[in-house]
Amino acid sequence: MKVFCFGSLNIDYTYKVDHFVQKGETISSESLQVFSGGKGLNQSIALAKAGADTWHAGSIGEDGRFLLAQMEEAGVHTQCITVLEETRTGNAIIQNDTEGDNCIILYGGANQAITREQVDEVMRQCQKGDFLVLQNEINELAYIMEQAHKNGLRIVLNPSPMNEKIRRLPLEYVDYFLLNEVEAGQILGREVKEGFDKEELGKALRECFPKAMIVLTLGKEGSMYLDEKESFLQPSYRVRAVDTTAAGDTFTGYFIGGLLRGLAVREAMDLAARASAIAVTRLGASPSIPCLKEVEAYSF
């Protein structure tokens, strides 16, 4: 069984700063590092490192060819990636502060140049029962979901970055939602305030999407899993964070990768929690994602 990740590929420009720049303020960064990134790329690499047969679909410009080599080195199949001659690769400007938090500005570039013909070609590579992992950093999401559902794929949606476009998608086709509390509130059309009741929020998601399996990530509090039969809380592993950029993508890749390798849901949730904890102790997006042997051997 394969997993296709149809998503973004970025070049990340990461600035180490004392604090996030404010309106009207000019600050100097301590350093600048250039990494491969994009939620799609990060999740594909996490999926492959978790042991899944991973195929990435998406688009880059000529300036992003080095991303192909990095993905292939991680074990990702790249035959479904289109290289565009006249469009730049998507990129991100990332501020990383002394607490390990980050803020990000995205430029879509080639990620927003997906065509329906490209989608149709990718679907011809898929088989019924394969997984399709999606985020919200490419165009043509609705068409991708419609064709995936028509072809019997199991759809995984990480609705990030969340905006109104998500609520216009055929969300009834989604088999797995992976989202944080802010995204959950937005997708439900409600505000999630500090000190919210996670059990209540999870119940509301289940009522809205009764057929879907839901993973609600809760930051330092861990994550929650909910489906028709069970719900439980997965605690987080305590580490000293230096860069949280790819933590969610690592969690997504290892959770779905664990399921594809035949793990039970509770085992896959724990594996994902361990992998994402390791990722935040390292700088960069995709370079921070650990391999499966590291995750299994790491002592917390």
Side-chain angles (χ1 to χ4, degrees):
M1 186 182 299
K2 299 176 182 176
V3 55
F4 288 81
C5 184
F6 210 140
S8 58
L9 302 109
N10 284 343
I11 303 171
D12 288 352
Y13 300 93
T14 301
Y15 297 83
K16 184 69 175 178
V17 296
D18 179 70
H19 63 275
F20 298 148
V21 67
Q22 305 296 309
K23 181 179 178 179
E25 182 183 26
T26 300
I27 62 176
S28 296
S29 64
E30 297 175 18
S31 63
L32 166 63
Q33 293 179 286
V34 181
F35 298 108
S36 55
K39 294 190 71 64
L41 179 146
N42 295 339
Q43 291 179 15
S44 278
I45 288 179
L47 283 159
K49 287 189 173 183
D53 184 8
T54 307
W55 297 66
H56 190 94
S59 295
I60 56 173
E62 291 287 350
D63 58 331
R65 284 188 175 273
F66 74 96
L67 300 177
L68 300 179
Q70 291 190 12
M71 296 180 79
E72 289 164 1
E73 183 179 355
V76 179
H77 300 282
T78 60
Q79 294 93 318
C80 295
I81 298 175
T82 300
V83 181
L84 304 176
E85 294 183 359
E86 298 182 0
T87 305
R88 286 189 62 184
T89 302
N91 66 62
I93 296 174
I94 302 171
Q95 296 179 65
N96 180 233
D97 71 8
T98 54
E99 300 298 318
D101 291 323
N102 63 74
C103 61
I104 303 171
I105 300 174
L106 291 175
Y107 167 69
N111 296 317
Q112 296 299 317
I114 305 297
T115 66
R116 294 194 173 190
E117 291 76 17
Q118 181 182 358
V119 175
D120 293 341
E121 178 57 33
V122 172
M123 291 299 153
R124 284 191 281 271
Q125 312 302 315
C126 304
Q127 294 183 344
K128 183 177 180 180
D130 286 342
F131 276 69
L132 177 69
V133 179
L134 301 171
Q135 317 80 31
N136 192 25
E137 291 182 346
I138 61 172
N139 64 313
E140 292 291 1
L141 275 178
Y143 184 75
I144 294 170
M145 291 173 67
E146 289 164 1
Q147 296 307 305
H149 179 72
K150 179 180 176 181
N151 285 278
L153 277 71
R154 285 181 278 184
I155 300 173
V156 180
L157 178 63
N158 172 214
S160 178
M162 181 68 194
N163 56 32
E164 282 301 313
K165 183 173 73 172
I166 289 291
R167 299 179 69 179
R168 295 194 296 269
L169 296 175
L171 298 177
E172 67 273 15
Y173 295 160
V174 176
D175 297 287
Y176 292 86
F177 284 95
L178 288 97
L179 67 177
N180 63 31
E181 70 272 18
V182 175
E183 293 157 354
Q186 291 172 328
I187 211 168
L188 291 169
R190 64 168 68 176
E191 183 181 1
V192 176
K193 298 181 179 180
E194 187 176 352
F196 68 96
D197 186 329
K198 53 183 176 290
E199 300 285 349
E200 180 184 340
L201 184 60
K203 181 180 178 181
L205 286 168
R206 286 284 304 128
E207 290 175 351
C208 191
F209 306 107
K211 296 181 180 180
M213 285 148 278
I214 296 167
V215 176
L216 180 63
T217 57
L218 302 165
K220 294 179 181 179
E221 292 189 48
S223 54
M224 179 182 291
Y225 175 83
L226 308 99
D227 66 19
E228 293 178 317
K229 297 179 181 179
E230 65 175 332
S231 65
F232 62 88
L233 183 68
Q234 168 63 49
S236 63
Y237 286 90
R238 302 299 182 184
V239 294
R240 183 181 182 279
V242 298
D243 187 354
T244 60
T245 305
D249 297 332
T250 301
F251 189 101
T252 296
Y254 265 85
F255 174 67
I256 298 300
L259 295 180
L260 282 162
R261 290 197 299 112
L263 296 184
V265 169
R266 288 179 182 269
E267 294 174 313
M269 287 285 287
D270 184 69
L271 184 74
R274 295 173 64 90
S276 58
I278 295 170
V280 302
T281 67
R282 302 169 176 176
L283 291 174
S286 63
S288 71
I289 300 170
C291 67
L292 181 59
K293 287 185 178 180
E294 289 179 273
V295 178
E296 292 175 336
Y298 198 88
S299 178
F300 290 92

